[in-house]
Amino acid sequence: MGPMDLNSSHVSPVLTDSVPVNKSRLGIHSSLLPYNSQQDSSSPLSPAAGKLSRTGSRKSAAGNIDDVRFNGWLDAMKASSPPRKKILKGSVINTLLPSNIEYDNEDYPSLTDDYPSAIGCFGKIIGRAKNKNVAVFLDYDGTLSPIVDDPDCAFMSDPMRETVESVGRCFPTAIISGRSRDNVYDLVKLTELYYAGSHGMDIIGPLRHNNVSSNLPNCVNSTDHQGNQITLFQPATQFLPIIDEVFRTLVEITKDIRGAKVENHKFCVSVHYRNVEENNWTTIGQRVHDVLKNYPGLRSTHGRKVLEIRPVIDWDKGKAVQFLLESLDLNDKDDVFPIYIGDDKTDEDAFKILRETNRGCGILVSSVMKESSASYSVRDPNEVMEFLQLLLNWKHERESKHYNRQIKVKV
């Protein structure tokens, strides 16, 4: 597949780390240096320290931050966890999504004041994409699948899978998820797509033909199981032992909290409190906080009733989008229109990249009011599918018009 062959199938099945890789190692890119190494040479993550380590305490400029009730953690947990919403009776969403999800339509009219409906504004969106090559980036949980009580049961509907498969055949398409890359591939099982797991810290993309790879550490060209040449990029490999250690610790210290669930997503750890009674949120937040005090190389971010433990490096979903565009030789092109659809706080990094570069558009998946850097919105996965189907129809109509023009020229 050529990097500009946007009409062909973009095959990139999941790659396990045991496949042979190019042994040549690549140089350090300044944007991948950990935050602490740019700010504090005494940090265990800094080049001066030379290694990752544990520490006995961590303090902010304001002093001790040992209590989650006073350092903002508990407020952030509540703010990122909207109350359960009911589905409106008779809604078409009932035919596609399980009943135990968080969507309704109560607040959506207010949301569209700031983030207009991507479906209602499809003509405007696609007008900006005229004569450009569209690339599609999708979150998984809450975007392609509903948010459910058990993350292991967050499955796409069959119509959604068929739609995403068609999108992957028509446009360069990637799923960028907080789940591990292997896990999200096991849920999606579509070889037409590219996959980025662990919030973009574990990427399989097309073979990079430009010189950008030579500036990135932990970026190697390889071959997948079907013989396709691909690029594997894992900017946080040095954190793997600590991530595994923290995962085991968190499993142990939360096992007595009913409903708590801890998942190892390879380069990050998720602590779900969706099924934990709210009066125990302080307890689970405090225990996670106390563990992280011993690991200054890790940080916590807040998702929808989940605490995400991630390495402190300057890498996120926005940079993953840029990496994949560069891999497709599209990042410096004026004729590219990236579309990113997501529902989570971590998707905001991708929305910001598109807004700051004035390229493409970000589409927020939400039925409740929230601040976002997205330009448009849809209510739920059902409307995500509707938008993607509109995109497919536009693609087919454009190809049909192009074909008819060619016929007229020949005649």
Side-chain angles (χ1 to χ4, degrees):
M1 175 191 70
M4 293 298 295
D5 185 13
L6 302 184
N7 295 321
S8 63
S9 176
H10 308 279
V11 180
S12 61
V14 71
L15 175 74
T16 59
D17 294 335
S18 59
V19 302
V21 296
N22 188 330
K23 296 297 183 181
S24 61
R25 286 297 163 181
L26 309 170
I28 296 177
H29 191 278
S30 61
S31 67
L32 295 182
L33 290 176
Y35 294 124
N36 287 359
S37 69
Q38 298 169 356
Q39 301 167 359
D40 182 3
S41 61
S42 65
S43 165
L45 276 174
S46 69
K51 64 179 180 178
L52 301 168
S53 67
R54 298 178 57 176
T55 183
S57 64
R58 180 169 63 179
K59 294 185 178 181
S60 68
N64 199 304
I65 57 171
D66 284 342
D67 194 324
V68 299
R69 292 170 297 180
F70 300 105
N71 66 13
W73 267 51
L74 186 58
D75 289 341
M77 289 172 71
K78 291 180 179 179
S80 62
S81 307
R84 181 173 297 280
K85 300 290 184 178
K86 64 182 180 180
I87 302 175
L88 295 183
K89 292 183 178 180
S91 172
V92 67
I93 198 173
N94 285 316
T95 65
L96 297 178
L97 301 178
S99 60
N100 55 338
I101 63 177
E102 290 190 342
Y103 309 114
D104 72 2
N105 300 321
E106 293 176 1
D107 298 332
Y108 191 66
S110 298
L111 181 70
T112 56
D113 291 341
D114 295 323
Y115 313 101
S117 166
I119 295 173
C121 295
F122 182 78
K124 182 178 180 180
I125 294 173
I126 219 61
R128 293 177 56 204
K130 186 177 181 180
N131 300 322
K132 295 184 178 181
N133 295 306
V134 172
V136 179
F137 301 91
L138 304 163
D139 183 27
Y140 182 78
D141 292 274
T143 300
L144 300 181
S145 73
I147 297 293
V148 295
D149 291 340
D150 184 354
D152 292 336
C153 297
F155 302 117
M156 287 194 296
S157 66
D158 289 339
M160 177 68 89
R161 177 171 280 101
E162 292 170 4
T163 299
V164 173
E165 182 177 18
S166 297
V167 169
R169 289 174 176 170
C170 290
F171 310 101
T173 303
I175 293 180
I176 304 179
S177 172
R179 293 174 180 264
S180 72
R181 175 169 50 81
D182 288 349
N183 181 228
V184 74
Y185 178 81
D186 287 342
L187 288 167
V188 178
K189 289 185 169 65
L190 294 175
T191 59
E192 291 81 7
L193 314 180
Y194 300 117
Y195 293 87
S198 302
H199 302 291
M201 288 182 284
D202 189 5
I203 303 176
I204 278 188
L207 184 69
R208 295 169 72 91
H209 295 284
N210 51 37
N211 294 323
V212 179
S213 300
S214 61
N215 295 322
L216 294 173
N218 303 314
C219 181
V220 294
N221 292 330
S222 185
T223 304
D224 65 25
H225 296 304
Q226 296 185 359
N228 300 301
Q229 290 184 308
I230 52 87
T231 294
L232 175 65
F233 182 48
Q234 298 173 328
T237 53
Q238 71 270 31
F239 288 89
L240 285 174
I242 287 183
I243 289 290
D244 191 55
E245 180 179 327
V246 169
F247 167 70
R248 293 195 303 269
T249 301
L250 290 174
V251 169
E252 181 65 26
I253 66 171
T254 60
K255 65 183 182 181
D256 64 326
I257 302 176
R258 185 175 181 180
K261 183 180 180 68
V262 183
E263 292 183 305
N264 187 339
H265 293 307
K266 190 167 184 175
F267 292 99
C268 60
V269 176
S270 297
V271 182
H272 296 271
Y273 54 93
R274 176 168 303 278
N275 299 318
V276 175
E277 292 293 332
E278 188 168 344
N279 57 6
N280 285 328
W281 287 9
T282 302
T283 301
I284 196 169
Q286 186 69 58
R287 293 183 186 181
V288 172
H289 178 268
D290 289 344
V291 170
L292 286 186
K293 287 191 297 183
N294 298 321
Y295 297 91
L298 301 178
R299 62 186 172 116
S300 175
T301 57
H302 301 268
R304 294 173 66 173
K305 295 185 180 176
V306 61
L307 296 171
E308 302 277 7
I309 315 305
R310 303 162 60 183
V312 183
I313 63 170
D314 188 14
W315 193 262
D316 51 44
K317 288 186 175 183
K319 288 184 170 59
V321 168
Q322 290 181 308
F323 177 90
L324 286 164
L325 287 173
E326 288 173 352
S327 298
L328 290 159
D329 197 23
L330 298 176
N331 199 44
D332 296 323
K333 307 288 186 181
D334 293 329
D335 62 346
V336 179
F337 192 82
I339 297 174
Y340 190 103
I341 308 177
D343 76 308
D344 194 70
K345 186 175 181 180
T346 59
D347 297 311
E348 290 298 322
D349 295 312
F351 295 152
K352 289 176 184 176
I353 285 292
L354 298 185
R355 181 176 288 274
E356 290 171 358
T357 57
N358 194 29
R359 304 176 69 197
C361 69
I363 300 176
L364 171 68
V365 185
S366 179
S367 62
V368 298
M369 283 296 299
K370 61 172 68 175
E371 291 294 322
S372 176
S373 293
S375 301
Y376 300 94
S377 67
V378 291
R379 288 183 177 90
D380 46 53
N382 196 41
E383 287 200 350
V384 171
M385 184 173 69
E386 184 177 349
F387 177 85
L388 294 177
Q389 289 172 343
L390 288 173
L391 195 62
L392 289 170
N393 291 339
W394 168 77
K395 172 73 170 180
H396 295 150
E397 288 175 5
R398 188 172 70 164
E399 290 179 342
S400 177
K401 290 179 180 178
H402 179 70
Y403 174 78
N404 290 334
R405 283 197 299 267
Q406 286 183 322
I407 294 297
K408 289 180 180 180
V409 170
K410 289 181 180 180
V411 173

